[in-house]
Amino acid sequence: MSDTNGPRALLKRIRVWLVVFVVCLVLSGVTAFPLVTELRLLDSALESWAAPVAEALPGLAEWIDRVRAGLEDADAEAPFLLYGNDWLAFAHLVIAVAFYGVHRDPVRNVWVVEFGMIACAGIIPLALICGPIRDIPFWWSVIDMSFGVFGVIPLLVLRRLIKRLEAVGTVDAPTAVTTTADRTSPA
């Protein structure tokens, strides 16, 4: 008989959700490096095989063309400006590495999940404040905000599972998971 709510099952579910979140975070980071190339490909697609999308959403096609042109200009005239984007990509990768602590000991490192939840919430005011300052169309800011909204979902699930794991107790080595009381008691 398998225990679907026991510590081992909870730990397995935590790690599955964790992998999903970390893979998405890494993909967000890795795809931020080659933005100029990606925008060229996307703009080209909207002018060829994805033309029906461009016809249905002309504002999107115009925005992609504008962003591509701006990035190409920056790349040609001031490539150092794109260095800031490289740091953005690197930050995604570093944050993903922080989640390894959650893999090792979810109960002790639940704070990393909570930090991620705060970061997701922070996307919304950032997009609402900086979007207009940077002349970003509101509908694009909504897309940006969706990363925070959708990003927080697996983190909420993770936090709930970790709190359940904390409540049920320990898992035998090598997947040692202890309750808060176990970690704080003098030994």
Side-chain angles (χ1 to χ4, degrees):
M1 177 168 91
S2 82
D3 182 10
T4 59
N5 287 320
R8 286 188 187 279
L10 283 169
L11 188 60
K12 184 176 181 179
R13 289 171 57 199
I14 288 166
R15 288 181 172 161
V16 167
W17 278 99
L18 190 60
V19 166
V20 168
F21 181 78
V22 168
V23 165
C24 291
L25 194 57
V26 167
L27 287 174
S28 292
V30 170
T31 58
F33 283 111
L35 268 188
V36 176
T37 302
E38 290 171 343
L39 266 291
R40 284 180 184 141
L41 291 171
L42 184 55
D43 198 32
S44 174
L46 288 171
E47 292 173 357
S48 60
W49 62 270
V53 174
E55 291 167 11
L57 301 168
L60 173 66
E62 291 168 12
W63 175 247
I64 296 299
D65 185 60
R66 179 179 174 201
V67 172
R68 180 209 37 84
L71 283 171
E72 284 180 340
D73 288 349
D75 193 33
E77 301 296 321
F80 54 85
L81 291 175
L82 297 178
Y83 188 55
N85 206 69
D86 297 336
W87 279 102
L88 168 73
F90 178 71
H92 279 77
L93 301 176
V94 169
I95 292 168
V97 169
F99 280 88
Y100 178 68
V102 180
H103 180 272
R104 287 187 57 208
D105 188 344
V107 173
R108 181 172 288 162
N109 294 304
V110 69
W111 70 270
V112 176
V113 173
E114 292 165 344
F115 167 80
M117 293 166 63
I118 293 167
C120 286
I123 291 172
I124 294 170
L126 177 80
L128 290 173
I129 294 167
C130 295
I133 292 170
R134 302 290 182 211
D135 199 24
I136 306 296
F138 179 73
W139 59 267
W140 191 264
S141 292
V142 171
I143 292 171
D144 288 341
M145 290 184 278
S146 74
F147 282 90
V149 172
F150 291 115
V152 81
I153 292 170
L155 295 175
L156 287 167
V157 172
L158 270 168
R159 186 177 187 283
R160 182 177 54 90
L161 290 171
I162 291 169
K163 291 300 182 179
R164 282 177 50 197
L165 180 64
E166 182 178 32
V168 298
T170 63
V171 176
D172 296 331
T175 56
V177 175
T178 57
T179 64
T180 304
D182 294 334
R183 286 194 314 273
T184 58
S185 64

